[in-house]
Amino acid sequence: MEILIAEDEIRIADSLKKNFLQSGHHAIIAKDGEETLSMLHKIQFDLLLLDWRMPKLSGLEVCRKIRSGGSEIPIILLTALTDISNKVEALNAGADDYITKPFSFTEVMARINAVARRYKSSANSIVFGDNTLNLITRVVTTPKTQIKLTDKEFDLLKFFLDNRGIIISKELICEKVWNLPFSPKTNIVEAAVKNLRKKLEETTEQKFIKTIYGEGYIFFGD
Amino acid sequence: MEILIAEDEIRIADSLKKNFLQSGHHAIIAKDGEETLSMLHKIQFDLLLLDWRMPKLSGLEVCRKIRSGGSEIPIILLTALTDISNKVEALNAGADDYITKPFSFTEVMARINAVARRYKSSANSIVFGDNTLNLITRVVTTPKTQIKLTDKEFDLLKFFLDNRGIIISKELICEKVWNLPFSPKTNIVEAAVKNLRKKLEETTEQKFIKTIYGEGYIFFGD
DNA sequence: AAAGAAAATGAAAAAAATTTCATCATTCTT
DNA sequence: AAGAATGATGAAATTTTTTTCATTTTCTTT
């Protein structure tokens, strides 16, 4: 993949770039917001890793400009702060995901692989464990039976599968699966997870969705 | 495509074969039911055109045997009679479609192209007119807006799209979309067509689904 | 043009899916 | 171990989807 790293802290940027190269990807560094935008116009990237704090134009502003220009390039925001309003802002600005600093390279790679999987695959089924989700019919085929998923069950499972092995927060799920800005008044996510778990784990007798207390969920399976 | 023509009337079989060759397909003729089965075991075919009345084993019996053997090869039954019980029997036996004799070659080709399209394509969207149906999200993108389809709307539209340009009877729709043996007591098909038409034709201001009085529906668009 | 069959339609009914809410269980912090 | 926060859950409420039904419209045949 062709990755654009927008990060003004040279040490972080370099370290990321080196790691990407080792993983078989190609990365270019942009040092500020303006350079990021001009780079994007010149070269076709598959992913943008975008720092929140940057000179000239903040990551958030860059993100907004990219989306208002109609581009659908996957964007992962790197943010130094943990507080929720930041995350919500990030998603509202059009980011696909966010990672809070300090981050491990493993974490970054897991998310990048998710993006890669999502944008590469045109297959119409996804295998997890010894089950298969048919993306067209929305039927999960297990060794025992077949389970027909409802709309929301499908959307949620698909989101989990697209982000296997990554901790995903409820805010992100809410934003991506329901297209709602996360509001803590509701517990739709919990309820939907409950339904999906019941349907999935009751028949397969396996655990797929693990709860990470205070952080979100993580999906296991292959 | 590699097509097996199971037909004992030599004139019909030969004429079909000649036409297929001209359309760039390859066809082989089997003269009776037993030969059909043994051929299928020897060679990998993409489609079976199966006559209802044949020596040794009837088309229906052949059809049942093939399906009970687990094969999913597309089967189109050629039947001389028009009556409904025959059609229902055909579908119950595992046929994908049926054509009543006398048939025009154009009719046969239209159905064969449908089969080809269905089995070839692994794309996750279908274009019709200047609209696109995303098979994963089940959203139709028109030049004006986007329309999210419900379960049944999607299934029905998909079935129409897979069979563009072919008259499809309500029995067939009922059997394939609802997995129900057609019962004339209900008008689910009409109702579903109404809903789909409303949703689709209201926003696009185009006609896609034409009613063929006494025969069924036909979908235009491409 | 009239009669009869087939199809379309709006509204009601039924069924299914989704969300909310109150309560219970679990996990974390101290 | 207790208290506080977070997550799970069953049941009810709500919303959406699907189906039925009665009526109107359209089409075909005579």
Side-chain angles (χ1 to χ4, degrees), chain B residues 114-159:
Chain B
V115 169
R117 212 175 8 230
R118 222 172 302 156
Y119 279 75
K120 195 168 46 193
S121 109
S122 70
N124 50 22
S125 64
I126 301 180
V127 176
F128 61 106
D130 37 26
N131 313 291
T132 306
L133 169 63
N134 184 319
L135 298 174
I136 313 294
T137 60
R138 300 186 165 181
V139 168
V140 174
T141 304
T142 76
K144 287 183 184 171
T145 36
Q146 295 209 317
I147 314 164
K148 168 87 180 175
L149 301 182
T150 68
D151 226 49
K152 277 277 137 27
E153 286 164 358
F154 173 81
D155 288 348
L156 184 57
L157 177 57
K158 173 104 187 340
F159 186 68

Side-chain angles (χ1 to χ4, degrees), chain B residues 8-61:
Chain B
D8 59 320
E9 292 176 62
I10 312 247
R11 285 180 47 197
I12 298 182
D14 276 348
S15 145
L16 281 170
K17 179 171 177 175
K18 203 185 293 172
N19 274 295
F20 286 148
L21 290 176
Q22 283 173 2
S23 314
H25 299 294
H26 190 225
I28 294 177
I29 297 171
K31 295 179 303 299
D32 60 59
E34 285 179 4
E35 198 182 343
T36 304
L37 289 174
S38 79
M39 287 281 216
L40 283 172
H41 284 127
K42 266 182 274 175
I43 305 173
Q44 168 89 38
F45 291 96
D46 301 304
L47 172 69
L48 170 60
L49 217 61
L50 183 60
D51 190 21
W52 180 279
R53 290 180 187 283
M54 269 197 309
K56 298 191 182 165
L57 275 174
S58 81
L60 208 62
E61 289 171 293

Side-chain angles (χ1 to χ4, degrees), chain A residues 35-78:
Chain A
E35 198 183 341
T36 305
L37 288 174
S38 78
M39 287 281 217
L40 284 172
H41 286 127
K42 268 183 273 175
I43 305 173
Q44 168 90 38
F45 290 97
D46 300 306
L47 171 70
L48 171 59
L49 217 61
L50 184 60
D51 190 20
W52 180 279
R53 292 179 187 282
M54 269 197 308
K56 297 191 181 166
L57 275 174
S58 80
L60 208 62
E61 289 170 290
V62 172
C63 199
R64 287 213 191 86
K65 275 191 194 289
I66 290 169
R67 289 295 182 242
S68 66
S71 164
E72 293 189 345
I73 181 175
I75 301 175
I76 298 179
L77 264 176
L78 302 174

Side-chain angles (χ1 to χ4, degrees), chain B residues 36-193:
Chain B
T36 304
L37 289 174
S38 79
M39 287 281 216
L40 283 172
H41 284 127
K42 266 182 274 175
I43 305 173
Q44 168 89 38
F45 291 96
D46 301 304
L47 172 69
L48 170 60
L49 217 61
L50 183 60
D51 190 21
W52 180 279
R53 290 180 187 283
M54 269 197 309
K56 298 191 182 165
L57 275 174
S58 81
L60 208 62
E61 289 171 293
V62 172
C63 200
R64 286 214 191 86
K65 274 190 192 291
I66 290 169
R67 290 294 182 241
S68 67
S71 164
E72 293 189 346
I73 183 175
I75 301 174
I76 298 179
L77 264 175
L78 302 174
T79 131
L81 310 158
T82 323
D83 79 303
I84 286 184
S85 72
N86 230 342
K87 296 178 184 179
V88 173
E89 257 188 286
L91 294 170
N92 283 342
D96 292 83
D97 209 343
Y98 50 79
I99 304 179
T100 32
K101 296 188 195 175
F103 50 78
S104 70
F105 187 71
T106 319
E107 190 184 352
V108 176
M109 270 320 286
R111 283 165 201 263
I112 283 174
N113 286 335
V115 169
R117 212 175 8 230
R118 222 172 302 156
Y119 279 75
K120 195 168 46 193
S121 109
S122 70
N124 50 22
S125 64
I126 301 180
V127 176
F128 61 106
D130 37 26
N131 313 291
T132 306
L133 169 63
N134 184 319
L135 298 174
I136 313 294
T137 60
R138 300 186 165 181
V139 168
V140 174
T141 304
T142 76
K144 287 183 184 171
T145 36
Q146 295 209 317
I147 314 164
K148 168 87 180 175
L149 301 182
T150 68
D151 226 49
K152 277 277 137 27
E153 286 164 358
F154 173 81
D155 288 348
L156 184 57
L157 177 57
K158 173 104 187 340
F159 186 68
F160 273 127
L161 287 169
D162 284 343
N163 293 285
R164 271 177 276 193
I166 303 169
I167 297 176
I168 37 185
S169 67
K170 288 179 203 164
E171 298 95 275
L172 191 61
I173 296 177
C174 210
E175 174 79 24
K176 293 294 176 184
V177 177
W178 276 264
N179 277 315
L180 291 173
F182 177 70
S183 76
K185 287 158 211 147
T186 183
N187 73 335
I188 21 171
V189 178
E190 276 106 327
V193 166

Side-chain angles (χ1 to χ4, degrees), chain A:
Chain A
M1 279 208 299
E2 197 71 28
I3 301 169
L4 180 58
I5 304 169
E7 166 68 77
D8 60 320
E9 291 176 63
I10 314 247
R11 285 180 44 197
I12 298 182
D14 277 347
S15 146
L16 282 170
K17 180 171 175 174
K18 202 185 294 173
N19 275 294
F20 287 148
L21 291 177
Q22 284 174 0
S23 315
H25 299 293
H26 189 225
I28 295 178
I29 297 171
K31 294 180 304 298
D32 59 57
E34 286 178 5
E35 198 183 341
T36 305
L37 288 174
S38 78
M39 287 281 217
L40 284 172
H41 286 127
K42 268 183 273 175
I43 305 173
Q44 168 90 38
F45 290 97
D46 300 306
L47 171 70
L48 171 59
L49 217 61
L50 184 60
D51 190 20
W52 180 279
R53 292 179 187 282
M54 269 197 308
K56 297 191 181 166
L57 275 174
S58 80
L60 208 62
E61 289 170 290
V62 172
C63 199
R64 287 213 191 86
K65 275 191 194 289
I66 290 169
R67 289 295 182 242
S68 66
S71 164
E72 293 189 345
I73 181 175
I75 301 175
I76 298 179
L77 264 176
L78 302 174
T79 132
L81 309 158
T82 323
D83 78 304
I84 286 185
S85 71
N86 231 343
K87 296 177 183 178
V88 172
E89 257 188 285
L91 295 170
N92 284 341
D96 293 82
D97 210 340
Y98 50 79
I99 304 180
T100 31
K101 296 187 196 174
F103 50 78
S104 70
F105 186 71
T106 318
E107 190 184 354
V108 177
M109 271 319 287
R111 282 164 202 263
I112 283 173
N113 285 336
V115 169
R117 214 176 5 231
R118 221 173 301 157
Y119 280 75
K120 194 169 48 192
S121 110
S122 69
N124 49 22
S125 63
I126 300 178
V127 176
F128 61 106
D130 39 24
N131 313 291
T132 306
L133 169 63
N134 182 320
L135 298 175
I136 312 294
T137 59
R138 299 184 167 185
V139 167
V140 174
T141 305
T142 76
K144 286 183 185 171
T145 34
Q146 295 207 318
I147 314 165
K148 167 89 179 174
L149 300 182
T150 69
D151 226 48
K152 277 277 140 19
E153 287 164 358
F154 173 80
D155 288 347
L156 184 58
L157 177 56
K158 173 103 182 347
F159 186 67
F160 273 127
L161 288 169
D162 284 343
N163 293 285
R164 269 176 278 191
I166 302 170
I167 297 177
I168 39 187
S169 67
K170 287 177 203 164
E171 297 96 272
L172 192 62
I173 296 176
C174 211
E175 174 79 25
K176 294 293 175 186
V177 177
W178 276 264
N179 277 313
L180 291 174
F182 177 71
S183 75
K185 288 157 211 148
T186 184
N187 74 332
I188 19 172
V189 178
E190 276 106 327
V193 166
K194 188 201 71 186
N195 292 337
L196 182 59
R197 270 184 175 147
K198 187 173 181 190
K199 203 153 184 177
L200 218 61
E201 302 183 338
E202 209 165 61
T203 40
T204 64
E205 288 168 24
Q206 293 175 73
K207 297 275 170 212
F208 292 109
I209 304 167
K210 183 167 193 302
T211 305
I212 310 294
Y213 189 90
E215 306 220 30
Y217 299 98
I218 186 165
F219 192 94
F220 293 110
D222 207 3

